[in-house]
């Protein structure tokens, strides 16, 4: 900005800043404004202090008569029971199921039942190949072993024949000799013993 | 009684001295408040708040001349105006466009009277008006304006640029109207 322009700038700015440059913009009622200001200036500061003291006294009374509640003791959490899942399932499930026999019997039509024949079949356990789904690998070992007298075996015994495992072929089917015998005498009872080879 | 004696008496709590000072400074400070706040009732409230603070802080003020006293009172009033505008959220200075460096000519304003300049400034929107007042009239830098209004420097420059544009348009329109009136 050149000197001339700077002078022009300051001139109109100073004109605006002159104390009495704009009389029409002054206070309309100066006395009323002064009365309001004077009342604010003359306000007793002690009144405010009394108010603060009263508030402090009220707070003190509240704390005296209504003390803070004591914190309730936290209940001791129950000790967690040892998880049965943590044990490797292969070590627990396998020995129980390996030697579990299952007797399958079929009810005969004749009144005099024939003696049962034991059959041993391989059972899938945790040692089977990875392709087979581990049905029992992740189950807890808390299941009790089925006793020989469980109801399901008795039900199955009524429905199926009892065939000895030595009389079955490689595919698990009864040999022709047995078939003929079975055909002749359908009342043969089949005893199936599940054993892991 | 001169100003120095009035100030000394006002420090002790003399109501008469305080009223003399008030009568001496009330009108220019009211005009200043009206430059920032359009509403006269609001401007009067700001004026009274400003004078209350002035008289309360007077014991700590060192008198160094009437100009220094005037500058200090003006600063108090400007701060009160800005606090009032911030409380009311009267302006939202959001734009941060690059401020065009317009050629700022003061010739048109130099030919106007104080009242006419005041009338033009008051017609500006509140955001433009505030930044224009602070930068052009009060002589603050953009950095100070940004700190006072809690905006960025870019926004301050942008608002000033737009205020100048608008003032030029108003002056141009005023010139056209003047020519038309002269022609009649």
């Amino acid at each position: 900005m050149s000197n001339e322009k700077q002078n022009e700038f300051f001139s109109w700015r100073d004109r605006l800043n002159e104390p009495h440059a704009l009389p029409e913009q002054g206070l309309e009622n100066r006395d009323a404004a002064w009365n309001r200001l004077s009342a604010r200036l003359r306000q007793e500061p002690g009144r405010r202090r009394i108010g603060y003291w009263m508030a402090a006294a009220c707070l003190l009374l509240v704390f005296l008569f209504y003390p803070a509640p004591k914190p309730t003791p936290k209940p001791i959490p129950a000790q967690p029971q040892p998880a049965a899942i943590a044990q490797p399932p292969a070590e627990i499930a396998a020995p129980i199921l390996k030697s579990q026999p299952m007797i399958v019997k079929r009810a005969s039509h004749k009144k005099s039942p024939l003696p049962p024949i034991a059959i041993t079949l391989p059972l899938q356990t945790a040692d089977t190949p990875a392709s087979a789904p581990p049905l029992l690998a992740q189950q807890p070992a808390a299941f009790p072993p089925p006793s020989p007298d469980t109801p399901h075996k008795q039900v199955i015994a009524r429905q199926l024949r009892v065939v000895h495992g030595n009389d079955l072929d490689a595919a698990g089917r009864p040999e022709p000799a047995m078939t003929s015998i079975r055909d002749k005498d359908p009342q043969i009872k089949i005893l199936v013993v599940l054993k892991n080879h | 009684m001169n100003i120095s004696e009035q100030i000394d008496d006002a420090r002790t709590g003399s109501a008469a001295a305080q009223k003399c000072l008030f009568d001496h400074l009330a009108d220019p400070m009211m005009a200043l408040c009206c430059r920032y706040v359009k509403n006269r009732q609001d401007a009067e409230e700001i004026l009274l708040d400003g004078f209350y603070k002035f008289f309360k802080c007077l014991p700590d003020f060192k008198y160094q001349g009437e100009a220094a006293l005037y500058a200090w009172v003006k600063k108090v009033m400007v701060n009160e105006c800005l606090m009032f505008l911030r409380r009311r959220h009267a302006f939202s200075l959001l734009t941060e466009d690059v401020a065009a460096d317009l050629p700022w000519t003061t010739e048109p304003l130099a030919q106007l009277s104080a009242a006419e300049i005041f009338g033009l400034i008051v017609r500006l929107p509140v955001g433009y008006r505030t930044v224009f007042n602070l930068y052009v009239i009060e002589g603050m830098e953009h950095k100070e304006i940004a700190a006072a209004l809690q905006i960025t420097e870019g926004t301050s420059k942008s608002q000033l640029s737009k205020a100048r544009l608008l003032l030029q348009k108003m002056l141009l329109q005023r010139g056209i109207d003047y020519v038309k009136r002269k022609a009649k």
Side-chain angles (χ1 to χ4, degrees), chain A residues 13 15 26 30 36 40 42, chain B residues 15 27 40 45 49 112:
Chain A
R13 197 178 76 170
R15 217 179 310 147
R30 199 184 298 170
R36 287 172 59 192
R40 279 178 70 177
R42 302 290 172 261
Chain B
D27 287 340
R40 288 192 64 87
E45 287 297 324
D49 291 340
L112 300 176

Side-chain angles (χ1 to χ4, degrees), chain B residues 50-67:
Chain B
F51 267 108
Y52 179 80
K53 285 186 181 173
F54 165 71
F55 286 121
K56 285 296 177 187
C57 298
L58 201 56
D60 300 328
F61 172 72
K62 284 184 182 177
Y63 182 73
Q64 293 173 345
E66 196 169 337

Side-chain angles (χ1 to χ4, degrees), chain A residues 66-113:
Chain A
Y66 297 97
K70 294 180 182 177
T72 54
K74 291 182 182 178
I76 300 170
Q79 293 182 357
Q81 294 180 359
I85 302 171
Q87 299 177 8
E91 296 176 359
I92 296 172
I96 292 174
L97 296 171
K98 275 184 179 179
S99 59
Q100 181 52 47
M102 188 171 80
I103 301 172
V104 179
K105 290 187 178 180
R106 183 183 176 186
S108 59
H109 295 290
K110 286 188 177 177
K111 293 182 181 179
S112 58

Side-chain angles (χ1 to χ4, degrees), chain B residues 16-65:
Chain B
Q18 288 176 348
K19 189 169 188 309
C20 285
L21 284 171
F22 181 78
D23 290 339
H24 183 66
L25 297 167
D27 287 340
M29 293 304 118
M30 183 64 183
L32 183 145
C33 293
C34 288
R35 233 185 324 120
Y36 285 86
V37 180
K38 265 183 166 177
N39 189 342
R40 288 192 64 87
Q41 286 181 354
D42 293 336
E44 195 169 318
E45 287 297 324
I46 295 167
L47 178 82
L48 295 181
D49 291 340
F51 267 108
Y52 179 80
K53 285 186 181 173
F54 165 71
F55 286 121
K56 285 296 177 187
C57 298
L58 201 56
D60 300 328
F61 172 72
K62 284 184 182 177
Y63 182 73
Q64 293 173 345

